[in-house]
Amino acid sequence: MNAVTIVIGSICILLIAYRLYGTFMAAKVLKLDDSKPTPAHELEDGKDYVPTNKWVTFGHHFAAIAAAGPLVGPILAAQFGYLPGLLWLLIGAVIGGAVHDMVVLFASMRQDGKSLSEIAKKELGPVAGFCAGLAMLFIITITMAGLSLVVLSALERNPWGTFAVGITIPIAMAVGLYHKKTGNLKVATIVGFGLIMVAIIWGPNIQGTAFGDFLTLEKSTIALALPIYAFFAAALPVWLLLAPRDYLSTFMKIGVFAALIIGVFYVNPAVQFPALTEFINGGGPIIAGPVWPFVSITIACGAISGFHAFVGSGTTPKMINRWSDIKGVAFGAMLVECLVAIMALIAAVSLMPGDYFAINSTPEKYATLGMETVYLDKLSEEIGMDLEGRTGGAVTLAVGMTYIFTEIPIFEKMASYFYQFVILFEAVFILTAIDSGTRVARYLIQDFGGTFFKPLKRTDSLWANIFASALACFLWGYLLYSGDISSVWALFGVSNQLMASIGLIIGATIVLKIADKRWYILTCLIPLSYLYVTVNVAGYWMVKNVYWNSDNPGFSFLNGTLSVIMLILGFIILVTSIRKWIELWKIPQKKLVELAEKGAV
């Protein structure tokens, strides 16, 4: 098996799925009608509701949903072999993720771009709405911890990488200030991206200096620094840091993966991993559980992700110009993200298994595997740093991509630069998600807390914003500081997929109301059934064997409690929705569609 075969086959499957299944969802299931105005037109205000070109909206939506998940999840799931991850990505993205993103965006647009908790309240009742809002707060908090954990191993004792990542903060702020003052986006973009490249090239000079020693940080220090950074990112005006960082990262997202696809076609690396490894039944050094349910928990973004619901019921529904644009923006962006995840998987399985497990396992665990490294010592020497025991997936992706790029003759002496650029690329991906996610968590805290203490609800209040931002950072910062990748990433996966289940529940309710044929509800019920069972089995397994098992290194009463609470919330929402479906099923379908068009149900 070689990488080009996987890439060509995957692209063909995704294109056929977009053309056939995407069109079926748009034309038959959701009945998208361009004769009706979208919320962007009906509520146009020049700020939030703005009719936008579909390609621009696609770019915004893709940049928002494609954070660290499609990069890291497939890397970690490579423990099971290349086949489980590849199958889940392709099947999950087409049948699950693309449908989920499409129906959530459609549902939000039907309610004038409201959030998923508001939609749940409208479609399923106040109990489901409250549970959905509370679940969203839990999920966004855990998501921030899971994504941040990826950065720790990448920047641990890596002054070059720490400098390159850290310098992007003042560069982004300078870009934001310059653009706000002059309005010249072109110059700001060229200068900002140019300064980032200069930082990477100049980075080796700090090693061995006092400044380099200052930036040689341990994991615990980085785990404290990230929430502090996020606090300022959430509290500062969005145009000063959040927007310019997101903007600059988009160029890196598109450029790096376009280059990787070209590199794979040029080099055509062999897949060094077997289709299935010995760890499919559990006991792996990276993921303790068996291939099912954990391949579908470890790989969330790229296949199906509840995090997308925050975007699909946030900014995107307020930008859609025509109803038919939903297909390209939601269904299309999900399939593109699937391709990104497949490329990350290829980067991992192109490494020798011994090298892969040496990077992704602690030295103690690796010693028990009976494996030998092959190229790792050479790669460590070329890159200029020790690569063993750098768990979390980020380093593995950087090493895999570096290995592919340096097989091209003109780049064979540039391993260290490619490695640090990919580390920067991943870190900027993650930090932009932390920026946005912490701000979303702040809004949720203010919304929930404001129910009991009204002044907290005021988003124009400085002290309320500061308090909510600090609380959000403390919550996910504690999980980050006290966890490890195997426990927190599984917690993130369970919570994220539970959020996707909630999105599919709401989607199924909408489809039942508007579809001409009742069996169309299966487009949501089939992925929902699989995902809901998978989430609950994985959650139970983690609580029993890890979180509430005092003999396990991942023992955490807090993580176990959070898991139980989330699963209970998901169960309440499901029971509420089933009662609603039974109620709607009693109405003849033709009459139900007529009532839905009038807004009577």
Side-chain angles (χ1 to χ4, degrees):
M1 177 69 75
N2 56 52
V4 168
T5 302
I6 294 176
V7 174
I8 292 176
S10 298
I11 291 174
C12 290
I13 290 170
L14 296 176
L15 286 174
I16 293 170
Y18 179 78
R19 178 67 181 87
L20 298 180
Y21 197 43
T23 302
F24 168 73
M25 286 295 302
K28 297 294 186 180
V29 179
L30 300 182
K31 299 186 294 185
L32 302 181
D33 184 1
D34 284 340
S35 66
K36 298 178 181 178
T38 64
H41 286 282
E42 286 189 315
L43 304 173
E44 184 174 0
D45 60 6
K47 295 190 333 183
D48 296 321
Y49 293 85
V50 181
T52 307
N53 176 276
K54 68 177 180 179
W55 295 111
V56 176
T57 307
F58 173 89
H60 159 79
H61 186 78
F62 176 73
I65 65 173
L71 307 182
V72 176
I75 296 288
L76 301 178
Q79 169 191 279
F80 300 120
Y82 73 82
L83 189 59
L86 181 62
L87 289 177
W88 168 239
L89 282 167
L90 290 171
I91 297 171
V94 173
I95 296 178
V99 171
H100 168 273
D101 291 9
M102 200 170 182
V103 295
V104 167
L105 179 56
F106 177 77
S108 180
M109 289 177 64
R110 287 183 82 242
Q111 300 297 328
D112 295 332
K114 291 180 180 177
S115 69
L116 203 62
S117 62
E118 291 296 316
I119 299 168
K121 187 184 300 182
K122 170 70 167 57
E123 299 293 342
L124 303 174
V127 174
F130 177 83
C131 290
L134 190 57
M136 289 171 71
L137 181 56
F138 277 116
I139 290 164
I140 196 67
T141 300
I142 295 166
T143 298
M144 295 304 98
L147 296 180
S148 301
L149 199 59
V150 178
V151 182
L152 300 189
S153 292
L155 299 185
E156 179 189 16
R157 299 189 304 277
N158 180 7
W160 184 359
T162 302
F163 168 74
V165 172
I167 201 68
T168 62
I169 297 172
I171 290 174
M173 294 177 73
V175 168
L177 285 167
Y178 179 83
H179 179 242
K180 186 171 181 64
K181 184 176 180 179
T182 66
N184 192 328
L185 184 60
K186 183 177 181 180
V187 172
T189 302
I190 294 172
V191 173
F193 194 74
L195 287 173
I196 290 174
M197 298 308 299
V198 169
I200 296 172
I201 296 170
W202 189 77
N205 295 315
I206 72 168
Q207 299 186 111
T209 67
F211 185 53
D213 293 340
F214 175 75
L215 293 178
T216 304
L217 306 176
E218 298 297 324
K219 279 187 179 181
S220 56
T221 306
I222 302 171
L224 289 173
L226 286 174
I228 293 171
Y229 156 76
F231 167 76
F232 288 102
L236 288 172
V238 68
W239 59 265
L240 183 58
L241 180 56
L242 180 65
R245 278 187 74 100
D246 210 12
Y247 176 72
L248 290 173
S249 74
T250 300
F251 288 93
M252 298 177 70
K253 291 177 183 182
I254 296 171
V256 170
F257 273 96
L260 180 58
I261 291 173
I262 294 170
V264 165
F265 273 91
Y266 182 87
V267 176
N268 191 18
V271 173
Q272 304 293 349
F273 271 55
L276 301 171
T277 70
E278 61 189 282
F279 302 117
I280 58 170
N281 295 317
I286 302 168
I287 303 161
V291 65
W292 186 84
F294 284 96
V295 71
S296 300
I297 295 300
T298 306
I299 300 178
C301 303
I304 180 170
S305 169
F307 185 71
H308 295 188
F310 289 101
V311 182
S313 62
T315 53
T316 304
K318 301 174 180 65
M319 300 168 63
I320 298 289
N321 183 41
R322 299 186 305 168
W323 287 92
S324 60
D325 291 349
I326 291 176
K327 176 188 170 184
V329 171
F331 204 96
M334 181 65 244
L335 298 188
V336 173
E337 186 178 15
C338 175
L339 183 59
V340 169
I342 289 171
M343 298 309 298
L345 178 65
I346 288 172
V349 299
S350 296
L351 297 173
M352 300 300 293
D355 296 345
Y356 166 86
F357 283 105
I359 297 171
N360 273 293
S361 311
T362 63
E364 295 77 19
K365 286 184 179 179
Y366 184 70
T368 67
L369 299 180
M371 295 182 177
E372 297 290 335
T373 60
V374 181
Y375 300 118
L376 192 61
D377 290 340
K378 180 184 176 184
L379 286 168
S380 296
E381 182 180 349
E382 291 176 347
I383 289 170
M385 62 184 297
D386 179 21
L387 298 173
E388 292 187 29
R390 291 182 176 267
T391 59
V395 170
T396 306
L397 177 60
V399 171
M401 291 177 68
T402 299
Y403 174 75
I404 292 171
F405 285 135
T406 52
E407 288 296 300
I408 301 173
I410 61 173
F411 296 141
E412 60 183 352
K413 301 297 183 182
M414 298 179 64
S416 60
Y417 289 97
F418 274 118
Y419 174 84
Q420 295 295 355
F421 180 77
V422 177
I423 290 295
L424 170 66
F425 158 74
E426 294 178 278
V428 170
F429 254 47
I430 294 165
L431 290 178
T432 52
I434 292 171
D435 292 346
S436 303
T438 303
R439 192 174 285 266
V440 170
R442 186 193 102 193
Y443 294 152
L444 289 172
I445 288 171
Q446 289 185 262
D447 188 44
F448 259 78
T451 304
F452 307 100
F453 185 61
K454 289 188 177 180
L456 185 60
K457 207 177 185 75
R458 291 182 53 192
T459 56
D460 60 344
S461 169
L462 179 61
W463 78 265
N465 291 347
I466 291 175
F467 174 79
S469 298
L471 181 58
C473 293
F474 173 79
L475 291 173
W476 68 257
Y478 178 79
L479 289 175
L480 173 66
Y481 191 81
S482 61
D484 59 57
I485 188 65
S486 60
S487 60
V488 174
W489 192 266
L491 182 64
F492 159 63
V494 169
S495 64
N496 194 37
Q497 302 303 54
L498 178 62
M499 187 73 212
S501 298
I502 295 171
L504 287 169
I505 286 172
I506 292 172
T509 307
I510 300 294
V511 171
L512 180 59
K513 287 181 178 182
I514 69 168
D516 293 330
K517 298 180 180 179
R518 280 188 166 163
W519 69 266
Y520 287 169
I521 195 177
L522 293 176
T523 58
C524 292
L525 288 187
I526 289 174
L528 170 61
S529 301
Y530 172 81
L531 202 61
Y532 187 78
V533 172
T534 299
V535 164
N536 281 271
V537 171
Y540 173 77
W541 194 97
M542 288 299 296
V543 170
K544 178 185 176 183
N545 296 290
V546 180
Y547 298 141
W548 285 356
N549 178 5
S550 58
D551 295 328
N552 192 287
F555 172 76
S556 171
F557 183 76
L558 175 62
N559 287 359
T561 303
L562 287 174
S563 297
V564 170
I565 291 173
M566 287 187 301
L567 294 178
I568 290 173
L569 290 172
F571 178 75
I572 294 171
I573 294 169
L574 180 64
V575 170
T576 305
S577 65
I578 291 174
R579 292 176 59 186
K580 183 69 174 181
W581 297 340
I582 293 172
E583 177 187 321
L584 294 174
W585 202 272
K586 295 177 181 178
I587 304 172
Q589 190 62 22
K590 187 175 181 180
K591 183 178 179 181
L592 183 59
V593 172
E594 292 175 355
L595 291 173
E597 288 177 351
K598 296 176 182 178
V601 292

